[in-house]
Amino acid sequence: MKTRRQVLAQMCAGGLAAVLGADAHPMSSSKRKPNVIILLIDDLGYGDLGSFGCTDIPTPNMDRLAARGVKCTFSYITNPPCSPSRTSLMTGMYAQRFGKFGMARGLPIPDDKPTLGEFMRDAGYVTGMVGKWDIGFREQSPMRRGFLEVARHNPLKEGHHFVTINEDGSEGWRTDTDGDMMADFVERNKDRPFFLYFSPLAIHSPSGETPERFRHRTTAEGRRRALAGALVSVDDQVGKLLTVLEKHDLMDNTLIMLTGDNGPNLNEQGSSSPYRGGKGKGTQQEGWVHTPTIISWPGVLPEGAQYDGLMCTLDFYATAAAAAGKKAPGHCDGVNLLPYLSGDRKGDVHERLFWLNCDPTDPKHRHLTVVRWKNWRLLKNKKLGWQLFDLETDPREEKDLAKKYPEIVENMAKSHAEWAATLPPVKTAKPNGLPGITGGEIPVGYGWEITKR
Protein backbone atom coordinates (compact mmCIF):
# COMPACT_ATOMS: atom_id res chain seq x y z
CA MET A 1 0.00 0.00 0.00
CA LYS A 2 1.16 3.51 -0.74
CA THR A 3 2.08 5.78 2.12
CA ARG A 4 0.42 9.17 2.49
CA ARG A 5 3.58 10.86 1.24
CA GLN A 6 3.63 8.65 -1.83
CA VAL A 7 0.03 9.49 -2.64
CA LEU A 8 0.76 13.20 -2.21
CA ALA A 9 3.78 12.88 -4.46
CA GLN A 10 1.60 11.22 -7.07
CA MET A 11 -0.78 14.18 -6.88
CA CYS A 12 1.97 16.72 -7.26
CA ALA A 13 3.41 14.80 -10.19
CA GLY A 14 0.18 15.17 -12.14
CA GLY A 15 -1.64 12.01 -11.16
CA LEU A 16 -4.38 13.80 -9.26
CA ALA A 17 -7.12 12.73 -11.65
CA ALA A 18 -6.52 9.10 -10.75
CA VAL A 19 -6.79 9.62 -7.02
CA LEU A 20 -9.01 12.68 -6.48
CA GLY A 21 -12.72 12.27 -7.04
CA ALA A 22 -15.32 15.00 -7.31
CA ASP A 23 -16.91 14.31 -3.94
CA ALA A 24 -14.22 12.92 -1.68
CA HIS A 25 -10.54 13.25 -1.03
CA PRO A 26 -8.38 10.11 -0.87
CA MET A 27 -6.87 11.03 2.47
CA SER A 28 -10.32 10.91 4.04
CA SER A 29 -10.07 7.11 4.18
CA SER A 30 -6.89 7.21 6.25
CA LYS A 31 -6.91 6.76 10.00
CA ARG A 32 -6.73 10.49 10.62
CA LYS A 33 -9.02 12.72 8.60
CA PRO A 34 -7.63 16.11 7.56
CA ASN A 35 -8.44 19.15 9.65
CA VAL A 36 -10.50 21.92 8.03
CA ILE A 37 -10.25 25.61 8.97
CA ILE A 38 -12.27 28.52 7.59
CA LEU A 39 -11.00 32.04 8.27
CA LEU A 40 -13.73 34.58 7.46
CA ILE A 41 -12.50 38.15 7.86
CA ASP A 42 -15.09 40.90 8.28
CA ASP A 43 -15.11 43.62 5.57
CA LEU A 44 -11.91 42.39 3.92
CA GLY A 45 -11.21 44.35 0.74
CA TYR A 46 -9.69 42.76 -2.35
CA GLY A 47 -6.98 45.41 -2.33
CA ASP A 48 -6.06 45.16 1.34
CA LEU A 49 -3.79 42.08 1.36
CA GLY A 50 -0.14 42.12 0.35
CA SER A 51 -0.56 39.01 -1.79
CA PHE A 52 -3.31 40.82 -3.72
CA GLY A 53 -1.30 43.98 -4.35
CA CYS A 54 -1.58 46.04 -1.16
CA THR A 55 1.59 48.01 -0.35
CA ASP A 56 0.74 50.01 2.79
CA ILE A 57 -0.55 47.25 5.12
CA PRO A 58 1.84 44.40 5.96
CA THR A 59 0.04 41.04 6.06
CA PRO A 60 2.98 38.60 6.19
CA ASN A 61 1.06 35.69 7.69
CA MET A 62 -1.82 35.75 5.23
CA ASP A 63 0.74 36.26 2.47
CA ARG A 64 2.63 33.23 3.77
CA LEU A 65 -0.59 31.27 3.55
CA ALA A 66 -0.90 32.36 -0.10
CA ALA A 67 2.71 31.36 -0.78
CA ARG A 68 1.89 27.89 0.56
CA GLY A 69 -1.40 27.61 -1.25
CA VAL A 70 -3.60 28.90 -4.06
CA LYS A 71 -4.60 32.52 -4.53
CA CYS A 72 -8.13 32.73 -5.98
CA THR A 73 -8.65 35.90 -7.99
CA PHE A 74 -12.34 35.60 -8.93
CA SER A 75 -13.93 34.47 -5.69
CA TYR A 76 -17.28 35.91 -4.62
CA ILE A 77 -19.85 36.07 -1.87
CA THR A 78 -23.36 35.63 -3.27
CA ASN A 79 -25.48 37.22 -0.55
CA PRO A 80 -24.14 40.49 0.82
CA PRO A 81 -23.84 41.94 3.41
CA CYS A 82 -22.58 40.21 6.56
CA SER A 83 -25.50 38.16 7.91
CA PRO A 84 -26.66 36.68 4.56
CA SER A 85 -23.05 36.18 3.48
CA ARG A 86 -22.29 34.13 6.58
CA THR A 87 -25.55 32.23 6.25
CA SER A 88 -24.77 31.27 2.65
CA LEU A 89 -21.28 30.08 3.58
CA MET A 90 -22.50 28.07 6.55
CA THR A 91 -25.32 26.41 4.56
CA GLY A 92 -23.53 26.08 1.21
CA MET A 93 -26.54 27.46 -0.63
CA TYR A 94 -28.00 30.68 -1.95
CA ALA A 95 -29.80 31.98 1.14
CA GLN A 96 -32.51 33.33 -1.17
CA ARG A 97 -33.62 29.70 -1.50
CA PHE A 98 -35.24 29.99 1.91
CA GLY A 99 -36.33 33.61 1.57
CA LYS A 100 -33.28 35.53 2.84
CA PHE A 101 -32.88 38.16 0.11
CA GLY A 102 -30.97 40.71 2.16
CA MET A 103 -29.85 41.34 5.72
CA ALA A 104 -32.95 39.71 7.30
CA ARG A 105 -31.31 39.29 10.70
CA GLY A 106 -33.38 36.91 12.77
CA LEU A 107 -34.57 34.79 9.85
CA PRO A 108 -34.03 31.16 10.91
CA ILE A 109 -32.05 28.65 8.91
CA PRO A 110 -34.45 25.80 8.03
CA ASP A 111 -34.00 22.81 10.30
CA ASP A 112 -33.70 20.48 7.31
CA LYS A 113 -30.66 22.38 6.00
CA PRO A 114 -27.72 21.22 8.15
CA THR A 115 -25.07 23.85 8.68
CA LEU A 116 -21.45 23.08 7.94
CA GLY A 117 -20.93 22.82 11.70
CA GLU A 118 -23.58 20.11 11.94
CA PHE A 119 -22.28 18.30 8.87
CA MET A 120 -18.67 18.20 10.08
CA ARG A 121 -19.72 17.21 13.61
CA ASP A 122 -21.67 14.28 12.19
CA ALA A 123 -18.64 13.38 10.04
CA GLY A 124 -16.64 12.77 13.22
CA TYR A 125 -15.02 16.18 13.69
CA VAL A 126 -14.58 18.30 16.79
CA THR A 127 -16.23 21.53 15.69
CA GLY A 128 -15.10 24.86 17.08
CA MET A 129 -16.18 28.45 16.49
CA VAL A 130 -14.45 31.69 17.49
CA GLY A 131 -15.73 35.20 16.84
CA LYS A 132 -18.84 36.59 15.14
CA TRP A 133 -21.86 34.41 14.36
CA ASP A 134 -24.66 36.67 13.03
CA ILE A 135 -26.61 33.75 11.54
CA GLY A 136 -30.21 32.69 12.12
CA PHE A 137 -32.28 33.95 15.03
CA ARG A 138 -31.61 34.00 18.75
CA GLU A 139 -32.43 30.35 19.36
CA GLN A 140 -30.09 29.28 16.54
CA SER A 141 -26.83 29.97 18.30
CA PRO A 142 -23.71 28.18 17.02
CA MET A 143 -24.03 25.78 19.96
CA ARG A 144 -27.41 24.68 18.59
CA ARG A 145 -26.29 24.45 14.97
CA GLY A 146 -23.41 22.03 15.21
CA PHE A 147 -20.53 23.65 17.07
CA LEU A 148 -19.31 21.63 20.04
CA GLU A 149 -16.94 24.32 21.33
CA VAL A 150 -17.73 28.03 21.08
CA ALA A 151 -15.46 30.74 22.48
CA ARG A 152 -17.30 33.00 24.89
CA HIS A 153 -17.07 36.75 24.27
CA ASN A 154 -15.09 38.56 26.93
CA PRO A 155 -17.18 41.42 28.33
CA LEU A 156 -16.56 44.74 26.63
CA LYS A 157 -15.32 47.84 28.34
CA GLU A 158 -18.27 50.22 28.62
CA GLY A 159 -18.69 52.31 25.48
CA HIS A 160 -16.27 50.22 23.41
CA HIS A 161 -16.54 47.66 20.60
CA PHE A 162 -13.10 46.03 20.72
CA VAL A 163 -11.64 46.85 24.13
CA THR A 164 -12.50 44.05 26.54
CA ILE A 165 -12.13 43.34 30.23
CA ASN A 166 -9.92 40.33 30.89
CA GLU A 167 -10.64 37.82 33.63
CA ASP A 168 -8.00 39.47 35.84
CA GLY A 169 -9.62 42.89 35.39
CA SER A 170 -7.06 44.26 32.91
CA GLU A 171 -8.01 45.64 29.51
CA GLY A 172 -7.70 43.42 26.46
CA TRP A 173 -8.04 43.68 22.68
CA ARG A 174 -10.86 41.55 21.31
CA THR A 175 -8.98 40.43 18.19
CA ASP A 176 -6.00 39.26 20.25
CA THR A 177 -8.31 37.26 22.49
CA ASP A 178 -9.98 35.65 19.50
CA GLY A 179 -6.59 34.58 18.17
CA ASP A 180 -5.56 33.14 21.52
CA MET A 181 -8.77 31.11 21.63
CA MET A 182 -8.19 29.86 18.10
CA ALA A 183 -4.69 28.66 19.00
CA ASP A 184 -6.02 27.10 22.20
CA PHE A 185 -8.63 25.14 20.25
CA VAL A 186 -5.96 23.66 17.99
CA GLU A 187 -3.68 22.92 20.93
CA ARG A 188 -6.38 21.00 22.80
CA ASN A 189 -7.70 19.13 19.78
CA LYS A 190 -4.45 18.42 17.95
CA ASP A 191 -4.81 14.65 18.30
CA ARG A 192 -8.21 14.36 16.59
CA PRO A 193 -9.70 15.78 13.40
CA PHE A 194 -11.20 19.22 13.91
CA PHE A 195 -13.22 21.79 12.00
CA LEU A 196 -12.53 25.36 13.11
CA TYR A 197 -14.51 28.42 12.03
CA PHE A 198 -12.66 31.63 12.92
CA SER A 199 -14.58 34.84 12.25
CA PRO A 200 -13.14 37.84 14.09
CA LEU A 201 -15.18 41.04 14.22
CA ALA A 202 -12.21 43.04 12.93
CA ILE A 203 -11.75 44.70 10.51
CA HIS A 204 -15.39 45.74 10.91
CA SER A 205 -15.99 49.35 11.88
CA PRO A 206 -15.43 51.27 14.01
CA SER A 207 -11.67 50.99 13.68
CA GLY A 208 -11.01 54.08 15.75
CA GLU A 209 -10.17 51.97 18.81
CA THR A 210 -7.26 50.22 17.09
CA PRO A 211 -4.17 50.56 19.35
CA GLU A 212 -1.17 52.48 18.09
CA ARG A 213 0.97 49.35 18.49
CA PHE A 214 -0.76 48.00 15.39
CA ARG A 215 -1.11 51.22 13.42
CA HIS A 216 2.56 52.13 13.56
CA ARG A 217 3.47 48.90 11.73
CA THR A 218 1.75 50.22 8.59
CA THR A 219 2.49 53.06 6.19
CA ALA A 220 -1.20 53.83 5.69
CA GLU A 221 -2.26 57.44 6.08
CA GLY A 222 -5.33 59.35 7.19
CA ARG A 223 -8.43 57.48 8.23
CA ARG A 224 -7.15 54.33 6.55
CA ARG A 225 -4.46 54.07 9.21
CA ALA A 226 -6.94 52.81 11.83
CA LEU A 227 -8.32 50.14 9.49
CA ALA A 228 -4.77 49.17 8.55
CA GLY A 229 -3.90 48.62 12.20
CA ALA A 230 -6.97 46.44 12.65
CA LEU A 231 -5.93 44.29 9.69
CA VAL A 232 -2.40 43.96 11.08
CA SER A 233 -4.00 42.68 14.27
CA VAL A 234 -5.99 40.08 12.31
CA ASP A 235 -2.86 39.02 10.47
CA ASP A 236 -1.14 38.45 13.82
CA GLN A 237 -3.88 35.98 14.73
CA VAL A 238 -3.36 34.06 11.50
CA GLY A 239 0.29 33.91 12.53
CA LYS A 240 -0.70 32.34 15.85
CA LEU A 241 -2.67 29.71 13.96
CA LEU A 242 0.19 28.84 11.62
CA THR A 243 2.60 28.65 14.54
CA VAL A 244 0.52 26.14 16.48
CA LEU A 245 -0.14 24.04 13.36
CA GLU A 246 3.57 23.94 12.58
CA LYS A 247 4.43 23.17 16.19
CA HIS A 248 2.37 19.97 16.01
CA ASP A 249 3.27 19.12 12.39
CA LEU A 250 -0.33 19.59 11.26
CA MET A 251 0.09 21.86 8.23
CA ASP A 252 0.20 19.03 5.68
CA ASN A 253 -2.98 17.57 7.16
CA THR A 254 -4.96 20.82 7.31
CA LEU A 255 -7.09 22.48 4.66
CA ILE A 256 -7.34 26.24 5.28
CA MET A 257 -9.77 28.51 3.41
CA LEU A 258 -9.51 32.28 3.96
CA THR A 259 -11.80 34.98 2.57
CA GLY A 260 -13.95 37.98 3.56
CA ASP A 261 -17.66 38.21 4.33
CA ASN A 262 -18.00 41.10 1.86
CA GLY A 263 -15.95 43.92 0.39
CA PRO A 264 -14.30 46.80 2.22
CA ASN A 265 -15.86 49.57 4.28
CA LEU A 266 -15.30 52.58 2.05
CA ASN A 267 -16.03 55.01 4.88
CA GLU A 268 -12.91 53.69 6.61
CA GLN A 269 -10.93 53.78 3.36
CA GLY A 270 -10.81 50.06 2.75
CA SER A 271 -9.69 49.15 -0.76
CA SER A 272 -11.17 46.89 -3.43
CA SER A 273 -8.46 47.83 -5.95
CA PRO A 274 -8.28 47.24 -8.90
CA TYR A 275 -12.09 47.15 -8.66
CA ARG A 276 -14.50 49.72 -7.28
CA GLY A 277 -17.11 49.47 -4.59
CA GLY A 278 -17.70 48.13 -1.12
CA LYS A 279 -19.86 48.94 1.88
CA GLY A 280 -21.39 52.38 1.77
CA LYS A 281 -22.06 54.06 -1.55
CA GLY A 282 -20.36 51.29 -3.52
CA THR A 283 -22.77 48.41 -3.00
CA GLN A 284 -23.76 48.35 -6.69
CA GLN A 285 -20.18 47.80 -7.79
CA GLU A 286 -17.94 44.75 -8.08
CA GLY A 287 -15.89 45.44 -4.96
CA TRP A 288 -18.79 44.76 -2.59
CA VAL A 289 -18.94 41.06 -3.47
CA HIS A 290 -15.49 40.27 -4.93
CA THR A 291 -13.26 39.10 -2.08
CA PRO A 292 -9.63 38.00 -1.79
CA THR A 293 -9.51 34.25 -1.20
CA ILE A 294 -6.63 31.95 -0.28
CA ILE A 295 -6.89 28.17 -0.01
CA SER A 296 -3.98 26.16 1.35
CA TRP A 297 -3.27 22.47 1.85
CA PRO A 298 0.48 21.87 1.54
CA GLY A 299 1.36 18.64 -0.21
CA VAL A 300 -2.12 18.30 -1.66
CA LEU A 301 -2.70 21.62 -3.41
CA PRO A 302 0.08 23.39 -5.32
CA GLU A 303 2.02 26.08 -3.48
CA GLY A 304 2.28 29.64 -4.75
CA ALA A 305 -0.36 28.98 -7.42
CA GLN A 306 -3.17 31.14 -8.75
CA TYR A 307 -6.66 30.11 -9.79
CA ASP A 308 -8.59 32.53 -12.00
CA GLY A 309 -11.87 30.65 -12.35
CA LEU A 310 -15.30 31.84 -11.23
CA MET A 311 -16.03 30.50 -7.72
CA CYS A 312 -17.76 31.56 -4.51
CA THR A 313 -18.03 30.90 -0.78
CA LEU A 314 -20.93 28.52 -1.43
CA ASP A 315 -18.17 26.14 -2.52
CA PHE A 316 -16.49 26.02 0.90
CA TYR A 317 -19.13 23.61 2.26
CA ALA A 318 -18.72 21.10 -0.57
CA THR A 319 -14.92 21.41 -0.39
CA ALA A 320 -14.86 20.75 3.36
CA ALA A 321 -17.16 17.77 2.82
CA ALA A 322 -14.85 16.36 0.15
CA ALA A 323 -11.83 16.74 2.43
CA ALA A 324 -13.75 14.81 5.10
CA GLY A 325 -14.48 12.04 2.59
CA LYS A 326 -18.19 12.83 2.43
CA LYS A 327 -20.63 13.96 -0.21
CA ALA A 328 -22.21 17.35 0.40
CA PRO A 329 -25.95 17.38 1.20
CA GLY A 330 -28.43 17.80 -1.62
CA HIS A 331 -29.35 21.35 -0.63
CA CYS A 332 -25.86 22.65 -1.44
CA ASP A 333 -25.35 24.89 -4.46
CA GLY A 334 -21.58 24.81 -4.05
CA VAL A 335 -18.98 22.65 -5.78
CA ASN A 336 -15.88 20.87 -4.48
CA LEU A 337 -12.98 23.20 -5.31
CA LEU A 338 -10.12 20.74 -4.86
CA PRO A 339 -9.95 19.42 -8.44
CA TYR A 340 -9.97 22.98 -9.79
CA LEU A 341 -7.35 24.30 -7.39
CA SER A 342 -5.09 21.33 -8.10
CA GLY A 343 -5.26 21.99 -11.84
CA ASP A 344 -6.89 18.65 -12.57
CA ARG A 345 -10.04 20.41 -13.78
CA LYS A 346 -9.91 23.52 -15.92
CA GLY A 347 -12.18 26.50 -16.33
CA ASP A 348 -14.76 28.11 -14.05
CA VAL A 349 -16.26 26.29 -11.10
CA HIS A 350 -19.61 27.95 -11.92
CA GLU A 351 -20.67 28.98 -15.41
CA ARG A 352 -22.73 31.78 -13.87
CA LEU A 353 -23.20 33.36 -10.46
CA PHE A 354 -26.29 35.35 -9.46
CA TRP A 355 -27.17 38.09 -6.99
CA LEU A 356 -30.62 39.27 -5.95
CA ASN A 357 -30.81 41.56 -2.95
CA CYS A 358 -34.34 42.94 -2.74
CA ASP A 359 -35.27 42.82 0.95
CA PRO A 360 -37.70 45.68 1.73
CA THR A 361 -37.22 45.03 5.46
CA ASP A 362 -33.56 46.07 5.22
CA PRO A 363 -33.49 49.68 6.46
CA LYS A 364 -30.76 50.50 3.94
CA HIS A 365 -32.53 48.51 1.21
CA ARG A 366 -29.28 47.59 -0.54
CA HIS A 367 -30.68 46.45 -3.86
CA LEU A 368 -28.45 44.32 -6.08
CA THR A 369 -29.41 42.40 -9.24
CA VAL A 370 -26.35 40.99 -10.99
CA VAL A 371 -25.14 38.12 -13.20
CA ARG A 372 -21.50 37.11 -13.64
CA TRP A 373 -20.56 35.09 -16.73
CA LYS A 374 -17.09 34.71 -18.23
CA ASN A 375 -15.54 38.20 -18.13
CA TRP A 376 -18.94 39.92 -18.09
CA ARG A 377 -20.84 41.56 -15.24
CA LEU A 378 -24.47 42.48 -15.92
CA LEU A 379 -25.97 44.90 -13.41
CA LYS A 380 -29.56 46.14 -13.22
CA ASN A 381 -29.44 49.79 -12.26
CA LYS A 382 -32.74 51.10 -10.86
CA LYS A 383 -32.59 54.22 -13.00
CA LEU A 384 -30.57 53.15 -16.03
CA GLY A 385 -31.72 49.56 -16.48
CA TRP A 386 -29.27 46.82 -17.48
CA GLN A 387 -25.61 47.81 -17.58
CA LEU A 388 -22.89 45.55 -18.96
CA PHE A 389 -19.23 45.69 -18.01
CA ASP A 390 -16.17 43.78 -19.19
CA LEU A 391 -14.18 43.21 -16.00
CA GLU A 392 -11.14 42.01 -17.92
CA THR A 393 -10.60 45.32 -19.69
CA ASP A 394 -12.59 47.60 -17.38
CA PRO A 395 -12.31 46.39 -13.75
CA ARG A 396 -13.54 49.75 -12.45
CA GLU A 397 -16.77 49.46 -14.44
CA GLU A 398 -16.48 52.84 -16.10
CA LYS A 399 -17.68 51.90 -19.61
CA ASP A 400 -21.20 50.51 -20.05
CA LEU A 401 -21.28 48.15 -23.04
CA ALA A 402 -24.96 47.20 -22.89
CA LYS A 403 -25.87 48.98 -26.13
CA LYS A 404 -22.85 47.55 -27.93
CA TYR A 405 -23.61 43.93 -26.98
CA PRO A 406 -27.42 43.61 -26.70
CA GLU A 407 -27.32 39.85 -27.35
CA ILE A 408 -25.09 39.30 -24.31
CA VAL A 409 -27.41 41.44 -22.18
CA GLU A 410 -30.41 39.43 -23.37
CA ASN A 411 -28.72 36.10 -22.68
CA MET A 412 -27.52 37.03 -19.21
CA ALA A 413 -30.77 38.75 -18.20
CA LYS A 414 -32.72 35.68 -19.29
CA SER A 415 -30.53 33.39 -17.19
CA HIS A 416 -31.05 35.62 -14.15
CA ALA A 417 -34.82 35.60 -14.64
CA GLU A 418 -34.84 31.81 -14.92
CA TRP A 419 -32.81 31.49 -11.71
CA ALA A 420 -34.97 34.03 -9.86
CA ALA A 421 -38.10 32.13 -10.89
CA THR A 422 -36.91 29.16 -8.80
CA LEU A 423 -36.80 31.23 -5.58
CA PRO A 424 -39.52 31.63 -2.93
CA PRO A 425 -40.89 35.01 -1.84
CA VAL A 426 -38.95 37.26 0.51
CA LYS A 427 -39.49 36.19 4.11
CA THR A 428 -39.75 38.49 7.12
CA ALA A 429 -37.11 38.03 9.78
CA LYS A 430 -38.15 36.96 13.26
CA PRO A 431 -37.31 39.28 16.15
CA ASN A 432 -34.25 38.15 18.05
CA GLY A 433 -35.86 38.67 21.44
CA LEU A 434 -33.11 40.57 23.22
CA PRO A 435 -31.73 44.06 22.53
CA GLY A 436 -28.33 43.84 20.88
CA ILE A 437 -28.59 40.12 20.17
CA THR A 438 -28.62 39.37 16.46
CA GLY A 439 -28.21 36.12 14.65
CA GLY A 440 -27.89 33.78 17.59
CA GLU A 441 -26.52 34.32 21.05
CA ILE A 442 -22.89 33.68 22.04
CA PRO A 443 -22.43 33.71 25.81
CA VAL A 444 -20.48 36.53 27.42
CA GLY A 445 -17.75 35.34 29.74
CA TYR A 446 -14.41 33.57 29.64
CA GLY A 447 -13.21 30.31 28.16
CA TRP A 448 -15.30 27.89 26.15
CA GLU A 449 -18.96 27.01 25.95
CA ILE A 450 -18.85 23.22 25.53
CA THR A 451 -21.76 21.34 23.98
CA LYS A 452 -22.13 17.65 24.73
CA ARG A 453 -22.14 15.41 21.69
Side-chain angles (χ1 to χ4, degrees), residues 18-184:
V19 291
L20 181 57
D23 299 316
H25 189 275
M27 294 303 99
S28 61
S29 62
S30 65
K31 187 175 182 180
R32 169 68 186 266
K33 292 183 178 182
N35 309 306
V36 178
I37 299 174
I38 293 178
L39 307 175
L40 186 70
I41 315 303
D42 210 314
D43 294 354
L44 181 63
Y46 190 91
D48 284 332
L49 292 185
S51 52
F52 284 78
C54 180
T55 59
D56 62 347
I57 307 176
T59 53
N61 295 300
M62 286 184 270
D63 297 345
R64 181 157 59 107
L65 196 63
R68 302 173 73 170
V70 183
K71 185 173 73 170
C72 304
T73 60
F74 281 98
S75 178
Y76 291 87
I77 56 105
T78 56
N79 254 53
C82 46
S83 178
S85 172
R86 294 160 189 273
T87 302
S88 295
L89 182 149
M90 197 54 61
T91 60
M93 64 186 293
Y94 284 102
Q96 294 97 331
R97 294 201 186 282
F98 58 88
K100 191 177 178 75
F101 284 77
M103 184 66 83
R105 281 195 170 115
L107 184 69
I109 300 171
D111 290 336
D112 63 346
K113 303 294 187 292
T115 68
L116 186 52
E118 291 167 320
F119 181 88
M120 296 299 280
R121 176 201 63 194
D122 295 345
Y125 282 71
V126 181
T127 53
M129 186 264 176
V130 179
K132 176 180 176 180
W133 181 240
D134 202 5
I135 297 173
F137 70 118
R138 180 173 176 262
E139 285 74 16
Q140 288 189 325
S141 65
M143 294 83 73
R144 295 194 177 186
R145 293 308 306 244
F147 287 93
L148 300 172
E149 300 188 10
V150 176
R152 298 186 181 100
H153 285 167
N154 285 16
L156 291 170
K157 182 179 179 180
E158 186 175 356
H160 291 260
H161 292 85
F162 288 92
V163 180
T164 60
I165 303 300
N166 294 325
E167 200 164 4
D168 62 3
S170 62
E171 290 187 3
W173 179 245
R174 177 170 175 168
T175 311
D176 275 344
T177 303
D178 286 346
D180 291 341
M181 296 299 281
M182 175 171 57
D184 178 71

Side-chain angles (χ1 to χ4, degrees), residues 352-383:
R352 287 178 172 85
L353 290 174
F354 303 100
W355 288 262
L356 184 57
N357 276 48
C358 56
D359 180 6
T361 67
D362 183 348
K364 297 184 180 179
H365 197 32
R366 291 163 278 208
H367 181 85
L368 188 66
T369 302
V370 171
V371 189
R372 277 284 285 112
W373 174 60
K374 295 184 177 179
N375 55 306
W376 300 106
R377 183 175 193 259
L378 184 69
L379 162 70
K380 191 171 188 178
N381 185 289
K382 282 187 175 181
K383 295 180 180 179

Side-chain angles (χ1 to χ4, degrees), residues 223-245:
R223 193 169 185 178
R224 178 170 168 79
R225 194 165 177 268
L227 177 144
L231 185 53
V232 166
S233 174
V234 171
D235 189 73
D236 285 351
Q237 313 320 310
V238 176
K240 292 176 184 177
L241 172 67
L242 298 181
T243 296
V244 71
L245 290 174

